[in-house]
Amino acid sequence: MTSNLEHYIRLAKNGDQEALSLVVSRIKDNIYGLALRMLNHTEDAEDQTHEILIKVITHLSDYREESAFTTWVYQIACNHLLTKLKQKAARPELTFNTFGEIISTVTIDAPPLECSSPERGIMLEEVRLSCMQAALTCLEKDIRVAVILGETYGVTSKEGAVILGITPEAFRARLSRGRKSLQKFMGGHCGLVNKNNTCKCHQHAAVAISRGESCPKKDTILLKDVAGEGREKLLAHLDELTEIERTIAMLRQYPEYKSPESFSNIISDLIHSGKYNIFN
């Protein structure tokens, strides 16, 4: 956490709305990324990010600087998202068994991938990211959030303990359990992790196109140059790793999720609306 941001946080707590806007702009992408990885649904992630930002804004005066600001924000975000997931417990969740069955049906008699370069690279990277996200969704929510915090955002076991209200040992145990579950599944299915596996990205991409999906998706978050270059670097890096290390390397190789552009206007309107008791 930079002292520069801490400066703006103090200004915001003293009633500076422009400083508050800047603070929110610094955290909104990470919150959206966390929500998207936890919920695996774009509209749900947008809705919950909005609610989390409202909580951060309206409780900013409660931040006592006893921990890093990001730790405090992640604590609010994780509590909110875990609560929402518990409320949706009746909805069937994806499991490793059902995901494995889905993969098996796709890899049987998949048509050839007819997609020109560089669009092909984007499509293949979209498939990889979708598969990694689906694998994350197969984890129990308490394990999932620990993996996301530890592997995506580099949260330490000490910080993770504060965020989730558990001991550092418990955080490390959840992170280890999540890693092992992902490694076991990906090692048994993914052709990038184990070249002997029949599941290949181009098969899923071809099936998606045959079902009428665009190539690449119209709402893709990936840029052409970034997707192609990023995938090439990842594949080259995977060859240097053991099979056990490859799953985590793939998990970490995510593009930064950018929150929708509309968020900036929504949050600005919120801050200046007077609707919420932002400053105490």
Side-chain angles (χ1 to χ4, degrees):
M1 176 60 58
T2 65
S3 57
N4 185 41
L5 182 54
E6 294 288 355
H7 170 69
Y8 286 110
I9 292 169
R10 295 188 185 101
L11 290 178
K13 290 171 70 174
N14 288 326
D16 189 323
Q17 293 186 348
E18 295 306 317
L20 179 59
S21 295
L22 187 146
V23 170
V24 171
S25 71
R26 294 280 188 91
I27 64 174
K28 62 184 177 66
D29 288 347
N30 276 9
I31 295 177
Y32 177 67
L34 175 63
L36 193 54
R37 290 176 173 91
M38 282 295 292
L39 303 175
N40 195 23
H41 190 278
T42 302
E43 292 183 1
D44 285 350
E46 292 178 10
D47 291 341
Q48 300 314 316
T49 299
H50 191 199
E51 291 190 20
I52 292 167
L53 289 174
I54 290 174
K55 287 186 176 181
V56 170
I57 291 170
T58 56
H59 292 84
L60 188 60
S61 61
D62 296 335
Y63 173 56
R64 305 301 180 190
E65 301 183 33
E66 297 172 352
S67 61
F69 183 63
T70 48
T71 300
W72 181 77
V73 169
Y74 284 144
Q75 185 176 33
I76 292 174
C78 290
N79 286 339
H80 179 89
L81 293 169
L82 289 171
T83 298
K84 290 299 178 182
L85 284 171
K86 288 177 182 177
Q87 292 173 350
K88 296 180 178 180
R91 178 189 298 179
E93 292 193 356
L94 188 66
T95 67
F96 285 119
N97 286 336
T98 55
F99 187 30
E101 292 173 0
I102 293 171
I103 288 175
S104 297
T105 59
V106 170
T107 55
I108 298 175
D109 298 327
L113 176 59
E114 297 179 358
C115 195
S116 60
S117 183
E119 284 74 14
R120 179 186 175 92
I122 300 176
M123 192 74 174
L124 294 177
E125 190 64 352
E126 285 177 342
V127 169
R128 185 186 72 81
L129 293 175
S130 295
C131 284
M132 290 305 302
Q133 178 59 57
L136 267 178
T137 305
C138 293
L139 295 171
E140 298 173 13
K141 52 185 173 293
D142 290 341
I143 304 298
R144 189 189 318 162
V145 71
V147 170
I148 295 169
L149 289 173
E151 297 299 345
T152 303
Y153 295 107
V155 167
T156 66
S157 58
K158 183 177 180 180
E159 293 168 335
V162 173
I163 292 168
L164 300 179
I166 57 178
T167 64
E169 293 76 16
F171 182 83
R172 288 194 294 270
R174 291 183 185 183
L175 184 56
S176 176
R177 181 179 170 187
R179 285 171 174 165
K180 289 178 180 178
S181 295
L182 289 172
Q183 288 165 356
K184 180 180 179 180
F185 179 81
M186 299 298 288
H189 293 84
C190 179
L192 293 177
V193 174
N194 184 339
K195 295 180 180 179
N196 293 324
N197 289 326
T198 58
C199 182
K200 310 296 182 183
C201 294
H202 67 83
Q203 295 170 321
H204 292 265
V207 170
I209 293 174
S210 70
R211 292 173 179 171
E213 297 182 19
S214 60
C215 174
K217 295 178 182 177
K218 293 181 179 179
D219 59 349
T220 184
I221 63 170
L222 300 175
L223 300 175
K224 291 182 179 181
D225 295 340
V226 175
E229 182 179 340
R231 185 176 178 83
E232 289 178 4
K233 289 181 178 179
L234 172 63
L235 296 181
H237 182 50
L238 290 182
D239 288 337
E240 303 170 356
L241 303 175
T242 65
E243 182 178 320
I244 292 178
E245 297 171 319
R246 290 176 184 171
T247 297
I248 299 304
M250 288 176 61
L251 182 64
R252 291 173 178 169
Q253 185 67 28
Y254 259 95
E256 291 296 326
Y257 285 130
K258 299 296 182 183
S259 56
E261 294 183 5
S262 59
F263 264 43
S264 297
N265 293 330
I266 292 173
I267 297 304
S268 178
D269 292 344
L270 170 66
I271 292 173
H272 295 91
S273 68
K275 182 178 180 180
Y276 297 95
N277 182 24
I278 299 173
F279 307 111
N280 295 323

